[in-house]
Amino acid sequence: MDLTGETVPCRSAFGWFNDSDDCYYGLLDPQPPGDDPLWQGNYPSGAMYQVSCTGPLPGTNGGWTWLPTPPPGFGGVSVTPAELASRAVDRMQLVGPAIGITVPPDRLGLVGVPVWLWTEVSPTTWGPNSATASVPGLSVTATAQVQEIRWDMGDGNAVVCPNAGTPWYEGGIESPTCDHIYEQPSVGQPDDAYTVTATSTWDVTWSGGGASGSLTLTRSSSTTVRIGELQVLVTG
């Protein structure tokens, strides 16, 4: 019902009716670019709406406007800050470690020789990584960072490293940050190789909409290593 007491539809081609100002509000789709001056510096908070107010000609006396929250009567679907945080995490596209290892699948390592372990450092494999998810009137930003990587080496042993590891360099023997020494060759394993699985633990914090929280995620990747024994030939 509008200010004159006349019954009007709650929704029309112009959007949802707000009986406090006799205007229809429709969410702009797509929203203007974040650098559009129509946002008046408010992006990404709130949303832009097309406003059409009642009058002699329906759909006149309006325009575009920014609002921090949906107007009264707007029939948007409600969403919690935690649900938006989950959407923000999905946008980060977090993955398992980009495995670096001194014994790639096409080479043979040796029993007793340190195998260096590391990951390529990027926003999706190590962090930090941030993303924002928004709906009209609510915006949540999440930030993720790996805290440790667990390397299951395939021989029954695991190495937990609270760092990204150190890429091998010419002349390096023992890694200064993360490595493993095999005590038995991989012969007899599937394809005569150990399966190495690296699992990163991501700590995620988020805030927005007057709420905040944290969650822990894991992402894994794997490779194989072949380990042999150094044979010493004795002649005499």
Side-chain angles (χ1 to χ4, degrees):
M1 184 175 296
D2 64 15
L3 297 179
T4 66
E6 182 180 350
T7 299
V8 296
C10 293
R11 189 176 186 182
S12 74
F14 304 110
W16 295 85
F17 187 70
N18 178 359
D19 60 8
S20 68
D21 60 9
D22 274 10
C23 295
Y24 283 93
Y25 288 78
L27 185 66
L28 288 180
D29 186 14
Q31 291 279 287
D35 58 357
D36 194 307
L38 287 170
W39 286 96
Q40 302 176 32
N42 294 301
Y43 183 85
S45 299
M48 295 295 302
Y49 296 84
Q50 171 71 51
V51 185
S52 301
C53 300
T54 58
L57 295 176
T60 62
N61 304 321
W64 289 7
T65 188
W66 172 85
L67 293 175
T69 59
F74 192 81
V77 178
S78 62
V79 61
T80 67
E83 289 169 336
L84 275 186
S86 179
R87 295 183 192 179
V89 170
D90 289 341
R91 292 183 178 181
M92 295 183 201
Q93 299 182 334
L94 306 179
V95 297
I99 294 177
I101 194 167
T102 46
V103 187
D106 60 346
R107 295 182 59 185
L108 180 67
L110 295 174
V111 168
V113 177
V115 176
W116 293 35
L117 307 166
W118 70 91
T119 180
E120 174 189 338
V121 175
S122 72
T124 58
T125 61
W126 182 256
N129 195 334
S130 295
T132 299
S134 302
V135 294
L138 179 60
S139 179
V140 170
T141 297
T143 300
Q145 174 70 63
V146 173
Q147 295 303 307
E148 66 178 27
I149 299 177
R150 176 187 172 92
W151 299 85
D152 288 289
M153 303 306 298
D155 62 349
N157 295 302
V159 180
V160 178
C161 299
N163 51 65
T166 303
W168 182 82
Y169 51 83
E170 190 69 32
I173 298 177
E174 293 184 356
S175 168
T177 52
C178 189
D179 62 19
H180 175 68
I181 296 177
Y182 284 99
E183 298 179 354
Q184 298 293 330
S186 58
V187 63
Q189 299 291 321
D191 296 325
D192 289 332
Y194 290 119
T195 296
V196 177
T197 301
T199 302
S200 53
T201 298
W202 291 85
D203 283 353
V204 181
T205 57
W206 60 267
S207 62
S212 62
S214 62
L215 60 152
T216 301
L217 305 173
T218 58
R219 297 288 188 271
S220 297
S221 52
S222 62
T223 188
T224 58
V225 295
R226 296 174 59 245
I227 301 295
E229 288 185 294
L230 180 64
Q231 301 295 322
V232 178
L233 180 62
V234 178
T235 60

